[in-house]
Amino acid sequence: MVESQRETKGSNTKANKQFLPKFSSQKLGVQCNCMKTMVSKLKEGEDVKLQASKRAFNFDNDRELIIAVEDINQLLSGAWLNISILQVLILALYESWDEFDHSTNALGFMCPEMISETMLYSDINRVLLYMSQSMATLSSKSFILCPYFEKRHWILLVICLAKSQVYIFDSMQKKRNLMIKNQLNLAFRTYKTQNEKSKGTKLNWIAAHV
């Protein structure tokens, strides 16, 4: 199995370092205010670190998630959603389901960092290996959620292995030639071949109306 390296933040937006002191707490919910309070206690340059289970992201080993203060600043100000924040959300959902409902077998995730446009450009073979192995690991799931970042825009891809389908949830509602499409198709064929599942080796891509 392949491991992830923190090569992209999913954004080139420069954080407003003065945001936390200036932003009105009345505009934030309880949880966001709690986050704001915690971050305000950090020294400049400090990060928030979380231990993530290998099973949440389909890796061989547990890993450390690093959330920079600017990531949280951008989230709370509505400026941007960085990859590290999505990783924490995925981890929270995974741990919540694992703790309260061990029978849940509906959803799995691919790491948004591992399948990002940046990773496809920098190490496409590594991404292909990650995607095909993730499909094998998550083959019993009804759906695999894949948050995908390309051209400064987030898209949610939802894979249904049983039906050989990929649903595209795109808020921009326009037809686009996604870089990941050919690679995900290839990873699917590899998964089918390696697991002796010859029936339906082509993915059907469906644009969902949101």
Side-chain angles (χ1 to χ4, degrees):
M1 191 66 78
V2 290
E3 289 291 344
S4 169
Q5 295 177 355
R6 189 172 178 77
E7 49 36 81
T8 178
K9 302 274 288 181
S11 170
N12 292 321
T13 306
K14 292 185 179 180
N16 177 3
K17 294 183 179 180
Q18 299 300 316
F19 158 68
L20 285 174
K22 288 184 176 181
F23 196 79
S24 172
S25 61
Q26 293 179 351
K27 297 180 181 180
L28 301 174
V30 175
Q31 289 82 3
C32 288
N33 267 310
C34 179
M35 184 185 296
K36 173 186 172 183
T37 301
M38 293 174 64
V39 173
S40 65
K41 296 178 181 179
L42 295 175
K43 297 178 182 178
E44 186 173 354
E46 281 189 328
D47 297 321
V48 178
K49 298 179 180 180
L50 297 174
Q51 286 299 122
S53 166
K54 62 184 180 182
R55 293 187 299 162
F57 297 98
N58 313 308
F59 292 128
D60 271 344
N61 302 301
D62 293 344
R63 58 166 295 185
E64 188 177 68
L65 297 182
I66 301 175
I67 306 95
V69 172
E70 56 264 32
D71 296 345
I72 302 173
N73 284 351
Q74 291 177 346
L75 171 69
L76 297 182
S77 65
W80 195 251
L81 176 62
N82 279 316
I83 281 180
S84 62
I85 301 297
L86 270 178
Q87 289 173 319
V88 173
L89 174 60
I90 290 172
L91 179 62
L93 289 173
Y94 175 83
E95 291 182 345
S96 175
W97 295 336
D98 191 52
E99 179 180 357
F100 295 108
D101 189 356
H102 294 278
S103 64
T104 298
N105 201 39
L107 300 177
F109 298 93
M110 285 193 193
C111 176
E113 183 178 359
M114 278 302 303
I115 63 172
S116 66
E117 180 186 31
T118 303
M119 279 294 293
L120 286 168
Y121 275 118
S122 64
D123 198 341
I124 192 169
N125 291 329
R126 188 157 159 249
V127 178
L128 284 170
L129 179 62
Y130 172 77
M131 290 193 296
S132 62
Q133 291 183 337
S134 292
M135 289 178 188
T137 301
L138 302 171
S139 60
S140 64
K141 304 295 185 183
S142 300
F143 300 100
I144 303 173
L145 306 186
C146 308
Y148 175 63
F149 178 78
E150 180 177 308
K151 293 182 173 58
R152 297 184 58 78
H153 179 65
W154 281 107
I155 296 168
L156 178 63
L157 304 176
V158 180
I159 304 171
C160 179
L161 293 176
K163 295 183 178 180
S164 302
Q165 293 177 335
V166 180
Y167 300 94
I168 308 168
F169 291 85
D170 183 358
S171 62
M172 293 182 70
Q173 295 280 315
K174 69 177 184 179
K175 189 174 182 179
R176 63 177 75 223
N177 186 22
L178 298 175
M179 183 180 180
I180 197 175
K181 186 172 182 178
N182 289 336
Q183 313 314 322
L184 198 57
N185 287 336
L186 179 57
F188 181 70
R189 289 196 296 271
T190 301
Y191 151 72
K192 285 282 192 174
T193 301
Q194 291 179 344
N195 292 273
E196 299 180 350
K197 299 176 182 291
S198 57
K199 184 178 180 180
T201 57
K202 184 177 180 181
L203 284 170
N204 180 28
W205 292 69
I206 302 170
H209 296 287
V210 293

